[in-house]
Every structure is written in C-alpha cells, then in structure tokens.
Amino acid sequence: MSKQREVLPAVLDMVRRHAPDAALCLAGSVAMGYEVPESDIDVLVFSSDANALTFPEAVVREQVDGFKFVDTTVQGVPVELLCSTPRWFENLVVSRPWRGYKFLQFQVVHDPDGLIQSWRDRISPWFDDHPDVVDLYKRWMSEWRRRSTTRGK
C-alpha cells in the first residue's frame, strides 16, 4: 500500500472536519491507482462556501470567486485541495462536457445531496456520443502514466 493510501483516511477526516457538508471527490493519480512515491493527494471539495473554507497549516495557492487551490501536508504527504462552489464547477465542466472526462474517473468520497452523481449523469452521455474524444483521452492518459512511472529511471 502506498503512503498516499495510508494517509488518505486522515486527509478525508481533516477535510470533513472543516467542510462537513461538502461533496468530496478523490482525484488525480491516487484516484486512478497510478500514484508514485512523489504523488500528492488531490481532493475536490464542492461547497457553497468554497472561498470561506480554511484548513490547518494550509497555503492558498490561487483563489478566484468561487474557486481556490489549497496546498497542505498530512503526515508528510502533500495534499492539494481544489475547493469549488457547485456553480463554478458547473460553469467550467458540466456546461462543457468535453472538459469532464477526467472528472468521470474520480472517486466519489462523499456526496450527501447527490450533486456529484447528478453531474456525472449529465456528462456521461456526451462521451457515449463522442467515442473519438474518449479514445484521445485514453491515449493521452496512457502516455502520461508511462511517463510518470518511468520518471527518474
């Protein structure tokens, strides 16, 4: 088991303590099972109060109205929290489904109001109708995985 998977419960507990009503997705290489020792843990945090969320010992890397990147560390593992209001995310991805294929690969961790599932239900049919985009994405991800697993060898 990777270090990221070992500390994941502590990461999710920390996020839930500070954003108990937020919907959460595990994203990135950990979500897809391709983490390497240098990988961070990426968590999408959907909350109407995304800009107001605070996390211990965290650094806000970027913030715009409705969205912010927050970096922190849990038990020595870097964690990236991508905090978004539902409206911001919907404008970015759900209204432009071609941007959302990667989102369909993420692991839903907590979805108390069914928000994430409703987005998936809206995005998924678009990819059924555009298999060329799916093929392109899969080739791109395969190349990314190949490069990330051979890094430093």
Side-chain angles (χ1 to χ4, degrees), residues 32-65:
M32 295 184 284
Y34 301 116
E35 68 267 20
V36 295
E38 302 82 28
S39 295
D40 64 356
I41 297 173
D42 301 297
V43 179
L44 301 178
V45 181
F46 299 108
S47 170
S48 58
D49 297 328
N51 285 74
L53 294 176
T54 58
F55 300 93
E57 301 177 21
V59 175
V60 176
R61 182 173 9 132
E62 180 181 348
Q63 183 167 348
V64 295
D65 188 35

Side-chain angles (χ1 to χ4, degrees), residues 21-23 46 86 110-118:
D21 298 326
F46 299 108
H110 185 63
D111 193 15
D113 299 323
L115 181 67
I116 297 169
Q117 189 57 52
S118 73

Side-chain angles (χ1 to χ4, degrees), residues 13-138:
D13 286 346
M14 183 263 306
V15 173
R16 285 188 193 117
R17 275 194 315 277
H18 297 280
D21 298 326
L24 307 175
C25 276
L26 179 61
S29 61
V30 176
M32 295 184 284
Y34 301 116
E35 68 267 20
V36 295
E38 302 82 28
S39 295
D40 64 356
I41 297 173
D42 301 297
V43 179
L44 301 178
V45 181
F46 299 108
S47 170
S48 58
D49 297 328
N51 285 74
L53 294 176
T54 58
F55 300 93
E57 301 177 21
V59 175
V60 176
R61 182 173 9 132
E62 180 181 348
Q63 183 167 348
V64 295
D65 188 35
F67 180 83
K68 70 178 173 181
F69 279 111
V70 178
D71 293 320
T72 191
T73 303
V74 176
Q75 297 177 22
V77 175
V79 176
E80 184 175 80
L81 304 172
L82 298 91
C83 305
S84 169
T85 63
R87 182 182 176 123
W88 190 93
F89 187 79
E90 191 154 321
N91 286 338
L92 177 71
V93 175
V94 180
S95 64
R96 299 172 185 96
W98 62 89
R99 293 181 170 179
Y101 189 76
K102 197 170 184 179
F103 172 70
L104 295 174
Q105 312 305 307
F106 298 161
Q107 294 176 18
V108 178
V109 176
H110 185 63
D111 193 15
D113 299 323
L115 181 67
I116 297 169
Q117 189 57 52
S118 73
W119 289 337
R120 287 180 167 204
D121 291 345
R122 290 169 50 199
I123 293 170
S124 188
W126 190 90
F127 291 99
D128 294 340
D129 295 338
H130 297 85
D132 53 328
V133 175
V134 173
D135 290 342
L136 180 64
Y137 176 80
K138 287 180 178 178

